Amino acid sequence: MTTSYRNFRMVDYVVYGRGCLSQLDGILAPRRQGERPMVFLVDAFFKDRPLAAQLPRRGRDPIYWVDATHEPKTQDVDGIRDRIVAEHGGASGVIGVGGGSAMDMAKAVSLMLTNQGSSADYQGWDLVKRAGVYKVGIPTLSGTGAEVSRTAVLTGPVRKLGLNSDFTPFDQIVLDPDLIRGAPAEQRFYTGMDCYIHCIESLQGSFINAFSRSYGEKSQELCEEIFLRKPQWDDDADEKLMMASYAGGMSIAYSQVGVAHAVSYGLAYVLGVRHGEGNSLVFDQLEEFYPAGVRDFKEMLVRNGITLKRGLTRGLTEAQWDKMLDVSLGMGPLWENALGKDWKQQMTRDRLRRLYERI
Ligand SMILES: NC(=O)c1ccc[n+]([C@@H]2O[C@H](COP(=O)([O-])OP(=O)(O)OC[C@H]3O[C@@H](n4cnc5c(N)ncnc54)[C@H](O)[C@@H]3O)[C@@H](O)[C@H]2O)c1
Ligand SMILES: [Fe+2]
């Protein structure tokens, strides 16, 4: 039997260090094509904040503000792509500045500037036909691993699913711990827990290999240091969280996430619960699957002063229940990674519904 190992594409260039955003102008210069602008897609949180003025805009470079109060939708991506074409005739590159939402938006817009139709047509695996325009990711929140991953997660008319392809990773990422410094503690915690949960799910999954384990273990160790042992949050914690997110994302390259993500996708689709918070709400109930990880997670909640919402699934209609269970059970690879090939026998609709009822 021949085994086929994934030959995965990675980010081309990485710059890491406090203040490294100041190098962006020089990094972009050789990528500029004539009059075509560099388009900055920036999380609307930064409107009227100093970061906007630090972005090295030249000539007609526009900023499009990304409303990250909801996670990106295929129609948002198509809309921004259409505006860029109408207002600028195209772009030399797209630079996403923000959390996972703004970064995913940038990846998707870059791809949709060169691929026909709607981004909804490309939700899935390896459906993207052409490389996008040059794209740069600049995180202002750390944890999702969106800065290194080969997906851009979008909510479309029928499903929440990424544009997973070799063309999706950024050409360049700028990891500047100064940019995550001001993040509100609660948001930082939830996005950070996305990373912690990636590690637990990847390391305990059946797809794990030494490549993924090496990154996952380091990432988990960093998360435990900053969320479980540090007496207070400081610059060192931001630096470590940024690297935990990077390593956590790398860990998933050869493995997969698991139960918390599969269940959380259903919450996101039906109730609009955000990724990091949804994962946390679910993970809190997963002692039977990840006993040690959940025990430490509960201690992290207390140490970081976080109180989880409760009773989210009360009062759902039967149609909403059906959709939520369908979305979650549709995440086959996640369940297989967590529970093995016979996952369908283990995770029945009834069992999954009872799990949701506890959230
Ligand atoms: N592509 C991937 O591999 C991948 C992986 C996991 C999650 N995701 C996606 O990432 C998204 C979640 O990303 P996230 O958790 O980073 O949050 P986010 O990008 O959704 O942002 C959460 C909130 O924080 C605000 N914000 C961002 N940076 C801030 C800062 N420095 N200070 C204050 N507020 C700030 C935003 O305006 C928003 O209101 C989801 O859409 C999810 O689907 C993608
Ligand atoms: Fe995640």
Side-chain angles (χ1 to χ4, degrees):
M1 193 185 87
T2 53
T3 313
S4 173
Y5 296 102
R6 177 179 294 167
N7 180 17
F8 61 86
R9 193 61 207 284
M10 304 206 326
V11 167
D12 282 355
Y13 289 87
V14 182
V15 56
Y16 171 87
R18 193 171 289 282
C20 71
L21 180 66
S22 65
Q23 292 171 230
L24 183 59
D25 195 24
I27 290 171
L28 296 182
R31 306 288 185 154
R32 291 182 179 276
Q33 297 168 356
E35 291 295 293
R36 291 206 161 181
M38 287 290 175
V39 174
F40 290 83
L41 299 186
V42 185
D43 192 311
F45 170 83
F46 293 102
K47 223 177 200 171
D48 306 321
R49 289 181 201 259
L51 174 60
Q54 285 172 256
L55 299 174
R57 289 161 69 202
R58 301 258 160 199
R60 293 160 57 234
D61 289 357
I63 293 188
Y64 290 97
W65 299 105
V66 176
D67 175 7
T69 54
H70 63 265
E71 298 186 347
K73 297 192 168 66
T74 51
Q75 69 202 55
D76 303 330
V77 170
D78 299 349
I80 294 185
R81 182 264 321 267
D82 292 345
R83 275 185 67 193
I84 294 173
V85 172
E87 293 167 16
H88 301 279
S92 289
V94 175
I95 297 122
V97 185
S101 294
M103 288 193 282
D104 278 358
M105 182 77 94
K107 290 185 193 177
V109 167
S110 154
L111 295 173
M112 294 315 299
L113 280 164
T114 54
N115 289 273
Q116 303 292 320
S118 166
S119 49
D121 305 337
Y122 300 95
Q123 286 180 284
W125 280 269
D126 302 307
L127 302 175
V128 178
K129 305 275 182 306
R130 283 191 202 96
V133 302
Y134 176 70
K135 52 186 168 329
V136 182
I138 308 183
T140 65
L141 284 174
S142 288
T144 63
E147 63 277 26
V148 286
S149 75
R150 78 190 286 279
T151 186
V153 183
L154 302 178
T155 303
V158 243
R159 55 180 73 85
K160 178 177 175 183
L161 184 61
L163 314 185
N164 298 270
S165 83
D166 281 348
F167 300 120
T168 310
F170 285 114
D171 298 287
Q172 168 83 54
I173 56 176
V174 176
L175 304 179
D176 181 345
D178 259 352
L179 303 184
I180 63 169
R181 194 177 193 182
E186 187 174 71
Q187 182 65 58
R188 179 177 68 206
F189 181 82
Y190 285 135
T191 303
M193 284 305 106
D194 189 20
C195 176
Y196 177 68
I197 295 167
H198 288 161
C199 298
I200 303 288
E201 295 190 324
S202 159
L203 290 167
Q204 291 194 35
S206 56
F207 298 171
I208 193 73
N209 64 11
F211 182 101
S212 281
R213 180 175 288 116
S214 311
Y215 285 105
E217 284 176 350
K218 186 64 203 179
S219 178
Q220 183 178 344
E221 183 189 309
L222 291 167
C223 288
E224 288 170 354
E225 182 183 343
I226 57 187
F227 288 111
L228 209 50
R229 288 195 291 278
K230 242 186 202 297
Q232 69 219 14
W233 201 267
D234 55 12
D235 285 354
D236 176 63
D238 283 332
E239 289 165 15
K240 287 179 171 149
L241 179 56
M242 197 158 242
M243 287 319 298
S245 176
Y246 179 92
M250 288 298 295
S251 170
I252 300 174
Y254 260 123
S255 68
Q256 189 39 283
V257 287
V259 180
H261 276 75
V263 177
S264 164
Y265 266 78
L267 287 179
Y269 197 85
V270 174
L271 296 168
V273 179
R274 306 186 70 99
H275 187 78
E277 184 177 4
N279 286 344
S280 299
L281 293 170
V282 177
F283 196 64
D284 190 53
Q285 301 296 332
L286 298 185
E287 245 157 336
E288 59 191 302
F289 301 103
Y290 307 111
V294 174
R295 192 193 56 224
D296 284 346
F297 169 78
K298 287 181 188 288
E299 199 182 326
M300 291 178 188
L301 286 174
V302 175
R303 286 188 65 110
N304 293 274
I306 304 289
T307 311
L308 297 177
K309 289 191 192 122
R310 296 267 174 215
L312 260 81
T313 57
R314 263 181 233 146
L316 290 183
T317 65
E318 280 309 305
Q320 285 178 310
W321 272 115
D322 275 345
K323 187 74 205 174
M324 201 153 73
L325 296 169
D326 286 345
V327 169
S328 178
L329 291 170
M331 311 301 289
L334 284 65
W335 289 112
E336 187 184 332
N337 179 45
L339 305 178
K341 284 210 181 305
D342 67 340
W343 66 270
K344 285 185 183 152
Q345 277 83 55
Q346 296 185 52
M347 190 48 68
T348 58
R349 274 181 103 77
D350 254 9
R351 186 180 181 193
L352 181 56
R353 179 158 173 164
R354 286 200 303 280
L355 202 171
Y356 272 120
E357 284 168 348
R358 296 206 300 271
I359 295 166

